[in-house]
Amino acid sequence: MSLINGKVLSGESLLDEVEIKRGFAADLLSDLLALVEVENRDVVLITGITNPQIVRAAVLMDIPMVIVARGKHVPWETISLGEEKGIILVSTELIVFVTCGLLYQAGIQGAKIVRGP
Amino acid sequence: MNAPLYSHTFEIKGRDFEHGGEASSEIKETLKRMGINSQIVKRAAIASYEAEMNIIVYADRGELLLEVFPQMIRVTAADRGPGIEDIDLAMKEGYSTAPPEIREMGFGSGMGLPNIKKNSDRLRIESYPGKGTTVIFEIDIRDATL
């Protein structure tokens, strides 16, 4: 969290329960649903999307944490849905590129990808 | 086909991005409670979510019908929307007719229908331009404890 100077918006109490080892960045949720494998308890999603659908998609994919980059304002509906569904939402002023770079440098690997047909 | 063991209809409101995804979340929870293999639940949830968001993005209203049979899960997504002009084209990865404001929300990447196809065992699309679209997909239940 201090690595990306992030602010926890929801699910703070769950922070101790998750261990993030891999990451995936997307601004199109279908790309996330199409590409990422299904075992995602250790995956963080880095995105520029702020609407409640990031929480829905995370729940669907069993992704425990979402980082919203570029310091974008995250609406209340998204935060309260994150709280309700037990998704850790983090906001950072950093852009997606830098956020990913710092995480990668800290040893976070890429999410497992489903190979195309 | 015999009557389903379980069936439920979810009403979907077009453009309701706040509640969009609720039906597929419920479908996921329902299937999980039934003790269906988690891989199969995940496939059904992803395909349902794509179908649900298609209704929300493109139609005024629609519904998702979930039917669970001993050997398979069937979801029928029916909407009263603009219909699909060219289904083959719509099946192409990356092809989308979504307007820019929808893309800004993270949708309309042209992966929706291909994603449904990928996550299901059978997919049928019936569409009548100007009237609506019905997407039916089935997922076989293997190794299920149902």
Side-chain angles (χ1 to χ4, degrees):
Chain A
M1 218 48 58
S2 57
L3 190 68
I4 56 164
N5 204 4
K7 189 173 141 221
V8 181
L9 305 174
S10 74
E12 188 150 21
S13 60
L14 302 165
L15 274 173
D16 291 339
E17 292 170 31
V18 300
E19 194 188 349
I20 299 299
K21 290 185 184 147
R22 300 177 293 148
F24 187 82
D27 274 0
L28 287 170
L29 294 174
S30 275
D31 283 347
L32 171 76
L33 301 184
L35 295 174
V36 175
E37 236 214 5
V38 290
E39 285 308 315
N40 297 318
R41 295 304 332 175
D42 60 351
V43 170
V44 58
L45 168 66
I46 300 114
T47 185
I49 306 172
T50 60
N51 67 64
Q53 294 304 324
I54 53 172
V55 174
R56 302 261 181 223
V59 170
L60 211 63
M61 299 298 283
D62 292 334
I63 290 175
M65 186 189 286
V66 180
I67 298 174
V68 179
R70 305 177 202 133
K72 285 175 113 177
H73 170 74
V74 181
W76 169 245
E77 304 87 75
T78 304
I79 296 172
S80 68
L81 190 65
E83 204 60 65
E84 182 192 323
K85 300 285 181 187
I87 299 292
I88 303 166
L89 279 174
V90 179
S91 156
T92 175
E93 295 291 328
L94 303 173
I95 60 173
V96 169
F97 180 84
V98 175
T99 307
C100 295
L102 288 172
L103 293 176
Y104 191 81
Q105 223 170 26
I108 304 291
Q109 299 292 305
K112 269 195 221 155
I113 297 300
V114 180
R115 298 272 165 236
Chain B
M1 180 64 66
N2 296 324
L5 301 174
Y6 175 89
S7 77
H8 188 81
T9 303
F10 302 86
E11 302 288 336
I12 315 289
K13 255 197 0 235
R15 305 282 154 167
D16 184 1
F17 285 95
E18 197 188 326
H19 296 103
E22 261 175 22
S24 25
S25 289
E26 270 190 58
I27 288 176
K28 185 185 176 191
E29 287 310 310
T30 303
L31 297 175
K32 224 159 73 180
R33 271 200 305 274
M34 289 177 172
I36 294 170
N37 172 293
S38 64
Q39 202 78 12
I40 291 167
V41 171
K42 194 74 67 76
R43 292 175 73 206
I46 292 173
S48 300
Y49 180 78
E50 294 285 15
E52 183 177 358
M53 295 318 293
N54 272 347
I55 295 175
I56 286 170
V57 168
Y58 294 105
D60 296 329
R61 62 202 161 105
E63 58 183 44
L64 285 191
L65 167 65
L66 167 69
E67 294 172 289
V68 183
F69 298 91
Q71 271 89 36
M72 67 159 187
I73 299 159
R74 179 192 290 148
V75 176
T76 306
D79 71 45
R80 285 160 216 96
I84 301 171
E85 296 257 353
D86 186 336
I87 292 177
D88 285 341
L89 199 54
M91 288 306 298
K92 281 217 172 79
E93 288 189 8
Y95 177 82
S96 174
T97 58
E101 64 268 24
I102 297 291
R103 291 179 201 230
E104 275 161 29
M105 297 186 72
F107 299 101
S109 64
M111 296 299 283
L113 289 173
N115 231 353
I116 295 175
K117 187 174 181 190
K118 200 170 82 184
N119 284 291
S120 61
D121 292 298
R122 285 167 298 282
L123 167 65
R124 202 169 79 230
I125 302 171
E126 291 164 8
S127 191
Y128 304 94
K131 285 190 177 156
T133 302
T134 301
V135 174
I136 304 164
F137 60 86
E138 294 175 348
I139 299 169
D140 292 331
I141 301 177
R142 289 172 292 256
D143 319 314
T145 52
L146 194 70

PDB file of all heavy atoms in Angstrom, chain B residues 11-35:
ATOM      1  N   GLU B  11     -35.230 -10.026 -13.877  1.00  0.00           N
ATOM      2  CA  GLU B  11     -35.568  -8.899 -14.751  1.00  0.00           C
ATOM      3  C   GLU B  11     -34.351  -7.970 -14.837  1.00  0.00           C
ATOM      4  O   GLU B  11     -33.730  -7.666 -13.818  1.00  0.00           O
ATOM      5  CB  GLU B  11     -36.750  -8.104 -14.175  1.00  0.00           C
ATOM      6  CG  GLU B  11     -38.015  -8.927 -13.952  1.00  0.00           C
ATOM      7  CD  GLU B  11     -38.708  -9.298 -15.262  1.00  0.00           C
ATOM      8  OE1 GLU B  11     -38.503  -8.568 -16.267  1.00  0.00           O
ATOM      9  OE2 GLU B  11     -39.428 -10.313 -15.282  1.00  0.00           O
ATOM     10  N   ILE B  12     -34.037  -7.532 -16.056  1.00  0.00           N
ATOM     11  CA  ILE B  12     -32.888  -6.643 -16.243  1.00  0.00           C
ATOM     12  C   ILE B  12     -33.371  -5.322 -16.848  1.00  0.00           C
ATOM     13  O   ILE B  12     -34.096  -5.324 -17.843  1.00  0.00           O
ATOM     14  CB  ILE B  12     -31.850  -7.255 -17.213  1.00  0.00           C
ATOM     15  CG1 ILE B  12     -31.584  -8.735 -16.903  1.00  0.00           C
ATOM     16  CG2 ILE B  12     -30.562  -6.440 -17.223  1.00  0.00           C
ATOM     17  CD1 ILE B  12     -30.824  -9.008 -15.660  1.00  0.00           C
ATOM     18  N   LYS B  13     -32.943  -4.218 -16.242  1.00  0.00           N
ATOM     19  CA  LYS B  13     -33.307  -2.896 -16.762  1.00  0.00           C
ATOM     20  C   LYS B  13     -32.181  -2.330 -17.602  1.00  0.00           C
ATOM     21  O   LYS B  13     -31.032  -2.305 -17.157  1.00  0.00           O
ATOM     22  CB  LYS B  13     -33.582  -1.940 -15.590  1.00  0.00           C
ATOM     23  CG  LYS B  13     -35.026  -1.685 -15.404  1.00  0.00           C
ATOM     24  CD  LYS B  13     -35.472  -0.486 -14.582  1.00  0.00           C
ATOM     25  CE  LYS B  13     -34.536   0.456 -13.953  1.00  0.00           C
ATOM     26  NZ  LYS B  13     -34.766   0.601 -12.504  1.00  0.00           N
ATOM     27  N   GLY B  14     -32.504  -1.889 -18.814  1.00  0.00           N
ATOM     28  CA  GLY B  14     -31.500  -1.301 -19.687  1.00  0.00           C
ATOM     29  C   GLY B  14     -30.881  -0.057 -19.071  1.00  0.00           C
ATOM     30  O   GLY B  14     -31.547   0.692 -18.359  1.00  0.00           O
ATOM     31  N   ARG B  15     -29.599   0.151 -19.324  1.00  0.00           N
ATOM     32  CA  ARG B  15     -28.839   1.334 -18.878  1.00  0.00           C
ATOM     33  C   ARG B  15     -28.674   1.428 -17.359  1.00  0.00           C
ATOM     34  O   ARG B  15     -28.204   2.440 -16.854  1.00  0.00           O
ATOM     35  CB  ARG B  15     -29.502   2.647 -19.355  1.00  0.00           C
ATOM     36  CG  ARG B  15     -29.727   2.722 -20.834  1.00  0.00           C
ATOM     37  CD  ARG B  15     -28.439   3.061 -21.564  1.00  0.00           C
ATOM     38  NE  ARG B  15     -28.484   2.555 -22.919  1.00  0.00           N
ATOM     39  CZ  ARG B  15     -27.637   2.891 -23.871  1.00  0.00           C
ATOM     40  NH1 ARG B  15     -26.673   3.734 -23.609  1.00  0.00           N
ATOM     41  NH2 ARG B  15     -27.721   2.377 -25.055  1.00  0.00           N
ATOM     42  N   ASP B  16     -29.069   0.403 -16.644  1.00  0.00           N
ATOM     43  CA  ASP B  16     -28.935   0.434 -15.186  1.00  0.00           C
ATOM     44  C   ASP B  16     -27.559  -0.104 -14.802  1.00  0.00           C
ATOM     45  O   ASP B  16     -27.403  -1.234 -14.355  1.00  0.00           O
ATOM     46  CB  ASP B  16     -30.045  -0.404 -14.533  1.00  0.00           C
ATOM     47  CG  ASP B  16     -29.995  -0.324 -13.010  1.00  0.00           C
ATOM     48  OD1 ASP B  16     -29.113   0.387 -12.489  1.00  0.00           O
ATOM     49  OD2 ASP B  16     -30.825  -0.978 -12.362  1.00  0.00           O
ATOM     50  N   PHE B  17     -26.549   0.751 -14.981  1.00  0.00           N
ATOM     51  CA  PHE B  17     -25.171   0.300 -14.755  1.00  0.00           C
ATOM     52  C   PHE B  17     -24.873   0.095 -13.270  1.00  0.00           C
ATOM     53  O   PHE B  17     -23.947  -0.598 -12.912  1.00  0.00           O
ATOM     54  CB  PHE B  17     -24.182   1.282 -15.372  1.00  0.00           C
ATOM     55  CG  PHE B  17     -24.126   1.165 -16.855  1.00  0.00           C
ATOM     56  CD1 PHE B  17     -24.888   1.994 -17.656  1.00  0.00           C
ATOM     57  CD2 PHE B  17     -23.334   0.198 -17.444  1.00  0.00           C
ATOM     58  CE1 PHE B  17     -24.857   1.870 -19.037  1.00  0.00           C
ATOM     59  CE2 PHE B  17     -23.292   0.068 -18.827  1.00  0.00           C
ATOM     60  CZ  PHE B  17     -24.065   0.901 -19.616  1.00  0.00           C
ATOM     61  N   GLU B  18     -25.685   0.744 -12.420  1.00  0.00           N
ATOM     62  CA  GLU B  18     -25.431   0.589 -10.993  1.00  0.00           C
ATOM     63  C   GLU B  18     -25.755  -0.834 -10.528  1.00  0.00           C
ATOM     64  O   GLU B  18     -25.019  -1.431  -9.759  1.00  0.00           O
ATOM     65  CB  GLU B  18     -26.238   1.611 -10.201  1.00  0.00           C
ATOM     66  CG  GLU B  18     -25.702   1.743  -8.806  1.00  0.00           C
ATOM     67  CD  GLU B  18     -26.588   2.598  -7.913  1.00  0.00           C
ATOM     68  OE1 GLU B  18     -27.194   3.558  -8.432  1.00  0.00           O
ATOM     69  OE2 GLU B  18     -26.669   2.277  -6.719  1.00  0.00           O
ATOM     70  N   HIS B  19     -26.886  -1.362 -11.003  1.00  0.00           N
ATOM     71  CA  HIS B  19     -27.293  -2.697 -10.562  1.00  0.00           C
ATOM     72  C   HIS B  19     -26.881  -3.785 -11.543  1.00  0.00           C
ATOM     73  O   HIS B  19     -27.076  -4.962 -11.260  1.00  0.00           O
ATOM     74  CB  HIS B  19     -28.801  -2.741 -10.325  1.00  0.00           C
ATOM     75  CG  HIS B  19     -29.220  -1.839  -9.200  1.00  0.00           C
ATOM     76  ND1 HIS B  19     -29.804  -0.621  -9.422  1.00  0.00           N
ATOM     77  CD2 HIS B  19     -29.078  -1.966  -7.867  1.00  0.00           C
ATOM     78  CE1 HIS B  19     -30.026  -0.034  -8.256  1.00  0.00           C
ATOM     79  NE2 HIS B  19     -29.595  -0.820  -7.296  1.00  0.00           N
ATOM     80  N   GLY B  20     -26.353  -3.373 -12.681  1.00  0.00           N
ATOM     81  CA  GLY B  20     -25.917  -4.350 -13.670  1.00  0.00           C
ATOM     82  C   GLY B  20     -24.939  -5.338 -13.050  1.00  0.00           C
ATOM     83  O   GLY B  20     -24.035  -4.934 -12.335  1.00  0.00           O
ATOM     84  N   GLY B  21     -25.140  -6.600 -13.315  1.00  0.00           N
ATOM     85  CA  GLY B  21     -24.246  -7.607 -12.768  1.00  0.00           C
ATOM     86  C   GLY B  21     -24.826  -8.298 -11.544  1.00  0.00           C
ATOM     87  O   GLY B  21     -24.312  -9.324 -11.104  1.00  0.00           O
ATOM     88  N   GLU B  22     -25.918  -7.731 -11.008  1.00  0.00           N
ATOM     89  CA  GLU B  22     -26.535  -8.341  -9.819  1.00  0.00           C
ATOM     90  C   GLU B  22     -27.101  -9.720 -10.127  1.00  0.00           C
ATOM     91  O   GLU B  22     -26.955 -10.659  -9.346  1.00  0.00           O
ATOM     92  CB  GLU B  22     -27.659  -7.448  -9.279  1.00  0.00           C
ATOM     93  CG  GLU B  22     -27.198  -6.605  -8.120  1.00  0.00           C
ATOM     94  CD  GLU B  22     -28.254  -5.628  -7.647  1.00  0.00           C
ATOM     95  OE1 GLU B  22     -29.458  -5.850  -7.901  1.00  0.00           O
ATOM     96  OE2 GLU B  22     -27.869  -4.637  -7.014  1.00  0.00           O
ATOM     97  N   ALA B  23     -27.761  -9.822 -11.293  1.00  0.00           N
ATOM     98  CA  ALA B  23     -28.374 -11.105 -11.655  1.00  0.00           C
ATOM     99  C   ALA B  23     -27.305 -12.190 -11.788  1.00  0.00           C
ATOM    100  O   ALA B  23     -27.450 -13.282 -11.239  1.00  0.00           O
ATOM    101  CB  ALA B  23     -29.166 -10.965 -12.957  1.00  0.00           C
ATOM    102  N   SER B  24     -26.205 -11.856 -12.467  1.00  0.00           N
ATOM    103  CA  SER B  24     -25.174 -12.892 -12.640  1.00  0.00           C
ATOM    104  C   SER B  24     -24.480 -13.220 -11.317  1.00  0.00           C
ATOM    105  O   SER B  24     -24.060 -14.350 -11.108  1.00  0.00           O
ATOM    106  CB  SER B  24     -24.162 -12.529 -13.722  1.00  0.00           C
ATOM    107  OG  SER B  24     -24.065 -11.176 -13.925  1.00  0.00           O
ATOM    108  N   SER B  25     -24.371 -12.234 -10.417  1.00  0.00           N
ATOM    109  CA  SER B  25     -23.840 -12.520  -9.077  1.00  0.00           C
ATOM    110  C   SER B  25     -24.736 -13.535  -8.373  1.00  0.00           C
ATOM    111  O   SER B  25     -24.264 -14.469  -7.737  1.00  0.00           O
ATOM    112  CB  SER B  25     -23.792 -11.265  -8.206  1.00  0.00           C
ATOM    113  OG  SER B  25     -22.801 -10.401  -8.661  1.00  0.00           O
ATOM    114  N   GLU B  26     -26.062 -13.306  -8.515  1.00  0.00           N
ATOM    115  CA  GLU B  26     -27.007 -14.229  -7.867  1.00  0.00           C
ATOM    116  C   GLU B  26     -26.951 -15.612  -8.498  1.00  0.00           C
ATOM    117  O   GLU B  26     -27.055 -16.622  -7.805  1.00  0.00           O
ATOM    118  CB  GLU B  26     -28.437 -13.673  -7.957  1.00  0.00           C
ATOM    119  CG  GLU B  26     -28.781 -12.793  -6.782  1.00  0.00           C
ATOM    120  CD  GLU B  26     -30.253 -12.443  -6.764  1.00  0.00           C
ATOM    121  OE1 GLU B  26     -31.089 -13.371  -6.727  1.00  0.00           O
ATOM    122  OE2 GLU B  26     -30.555 -11.233  -6.813  1.00  0.00           O
ATOM    123  N   ILE B  27     -26.788 -15.635  -9.821  1.00  0.00           N
ATOM    124  CA  ILE B  27     -26.668 -16.924 -10.516  1.00  0.00           C
ATOM    125  C   ILE B  27     -25.439 -17.668  -9.990  1.00  0.00           C
ATOM    126  O   ILE B  27     -25.491 -18.851  -9.684  1.00  0.00           O
ATOM    127  CB  ILE B  27     -26.588 -16.701 -12.055  1.00  0.00           C
ATOM    128  CG1 ILE B  27     -27.971 -16.282 -12.576  1.00  0.00           C
ATOM    129  CG2 ILE B  27     -26.076 -17.957 -12.777  1.00  0.00           C
ATOM    130  CD1 ILE B  27     -28.020 -15.930 -14.044  1.00  0.00           C
ATOM    131  N   LYS B  28     -24.337 -16.925  -9.837  1.00  0.00           N
ATOM    132  CA  LYS B  28     -23.111 -17.542  -9.328  1.00  0.00           C
ATOM    133  C   LYS B  28     -23.336 -18.127  -7.929  1.00  0.00           C
ATOM    134  O   LYS B  28     -22.976 -19.273  -7.660  1.00  0.00           O
ATOM    135  CB  LYS B  28     -21.994 -16.494  -9.290  1.00  0.00           C
ATOM    136  CG  LYS B  28     -20.651 -17.070  -8.879  1.00  0.00           C
ATOM    137  CD  LYS B  28     -19.588 -15.981  -8.743  1.00  0.00           C
ATOM    138  CE  LYS B  28     -18.288 -16.583  -8.240  1.00  0.00           C
ATOM    139  NZ  LYS B  28     -17.318 -15.562  -7.851  1.00  0.00           N
ATOM    140  N   GLU B  29     -23.971 -17.331  -7.050  1.00  0.00           N
ATOM    141  CA  GLU B  29     -24.215 -17.785  -5.677  1.00  0.00           C
ATOM    142  C   GLU B  29     -25.142 -18.997  -5.642  1.00  0.00           C
ATOM    143  O   GLU B  29     -24.920 -19.948  -4.906  1.00  0.00           O
ATOM    144  CB  GLU B  29     -24.817 -16.642  -4.837  1.00  0.00           C
ATOM    145  CG  GLU B  29     -23.823 -15.558  -4.473  1.00  0.00           C
ATOM    146  CD  GLU B  29     -22.541 -16.112  -3.860  1.00  0.00           C
ATOM    147  OE1 GLU B  29     -22.648 -16.930  -2.930  1.00  0.00           O
ATOM    148  OE2 GLU B  29     -21.447 -15.746  -4.323  1.00  0.00           O
ATOM    149  N   THR B  30     -26.193 -18.946  -6.469  1.00  0.00           N
ATOM    150  CA  THR B  30     -27.165 -20.043  -6.514  1.00  0.00           C
ATOM    151  C   THR B  30     -26.485 -21.343  -6.928  1.00  0.00           C
ATOM    152  O   THR B  30     -26.668 -22.384  -6.294  1.00  0.00           O
ATOM    153  CB  THR B  30     -28.292 -19.710  -7.525  1.00  0.00           C
ATOM    154  OG1 THR B  30     -28.890 -18.476  -7.133  1.00  0.00           O
ATOM    155  CG2 THR B  30     -29.352 -20.798  -7.555  1.00  0.00           C
ATOM    156  N   LEU B  31     -25.690 -21.276  -7.999  1.00  0.00           N
ATOM    157  CA  LEU B  31     -25.032 -22.486  -8.512  1.00  0.00           C
ATOM    158  C   LEU B  31     -24.012 -23.011  -7.506  1.00  0.00           C
ATOM    159  O   LEU B  31     -23.860 -24.215  -7.325  1.00  0.00           O
ATOM    160  CB  LEU B  31     -24.360 -22.198  -9.861  1.00  0.00           C
ATOM    161  CG  LEU B  31     -25.305 -21.797 -11.004  1.00  0.00           C
ATOM    162  CD1 LEU B  31     -24.505 -21.424 -12.244  1.00  0.00           C
ATOM    163  CD2 LEU B  31     -26.290 -22.909 -11.323  1.00  0.00           C
ATOM    164  N   LYS B  32     -23.347 -22.067  -6.834  1.00  0.00           N
ATOM    165  CA  LYS B  32     -22.356 -22.454  -5.829  1.00  0.00           C
ATOM    166  C   LYS B  32     -23.041 -23.201  -4.682  1.00  0.00           C
ATOM    167  O   LYS B  32     -22.558 -24.232  -4.220  1.00  0.00           O
ATOM    168  CB  LYS B  32     -21.662 -21.187  -5.293  1.00  0.00           C
ATOM    169  CG  LYS B  32     -20.162 -21.354  -5.171  1.00  0.00           C
ATOM    170  CD  LYS B  32     -19.400 -20.053  -5.154  1.00  0.00           C
ATOM    171  CE  LYS B  32     -19.504 -19.233  -3.891  1.00  0.00           C
ATOM    172  NZ  LYS B  32     -18.720 -17.993  -3.981  1.00  0.00           N
ATOM    173  N   ARG B  33     -24.181 -22.666  -4.259  1.00  0.00           N
ATOM    174  CA  ARG B  33     -24.939 -23.302  -3.171  1.00  0.00           C
ATOM    175  C   ARG B  33     -25.387 -24.705  -3.533  1.00  0.00           C
ATOM    176  O   ARG B  33     -25.561 -25.564  -2.690  1.00  0.00           O
ATOM    177  CB  ARG B  33     -26.157 -22.450  -2.800  1.00  0.00           C
ATOM    178  CG  ARG B  33     -25.883 -21.416  -1.734  1.00  0.00           C
ATOM    179  CD  ARG B  33     -27.186 -20.967  -1.087  1.00  0.00           C
ATOM    180  NE  ARG B  33     -28.152 -20.492  -2.073  1.00  0.00           N
ATOM    181  CZ  ARG B  33     -28.189 -19.238  -2.520  1.00  0.00           C
ATOM    182  NH1 ARG B  33     -27.355 -18.350  -2.060  1.00  0.00           N
ATOM    183  NH2 ARG B  33     -29.090 -18.862  -3.422  1.00  0.00           N
ATOM    184  N   MET B  34     -25.632 -24.917  -4.840  1.00  0.00           N
ATOM    185  CA  MET B  34     -26.079 -26.238  -5.291  1.00  0.00           C
ATOM    186  C   MET B  34     -24.930 -27.245  -5.290  1.00  0.00           C
ATOM    187  O   MET B  34     -25.136 -28.423  -5.558  1.00  0.00           O
ATOM    188  CB  MET B  34     -26.650 -26.147  -6.703  1.00  0.00           C
ATOM    189  CG  MET B  34     -27.976 -25.438  -6.754  1.00  0.00           C
ATOM    190  SD  MET B  34     -28.530 -25.288  -8.460  1.00  0.00           S
ATOM    191  CE  MET B  34     -30.177 -24.642  -8.170  1.00  0.00           C
ATOM    192  N   GLY B  35     -23.735 -26.741  -5.034  1.00  0.00           N
ATOM    193  CA  GLY B  35     -22.591 -27.643  -4.958  1.00  0.00           C
ATOM    194  C   GLY B  35     -22.005 -28.001  -6.308  1.00  0.00           C
ATOM    195  O   GLY B  35     -21.273 -28.976  -6.452  1.00  0.00           O
TER     196      GLY B  35
END
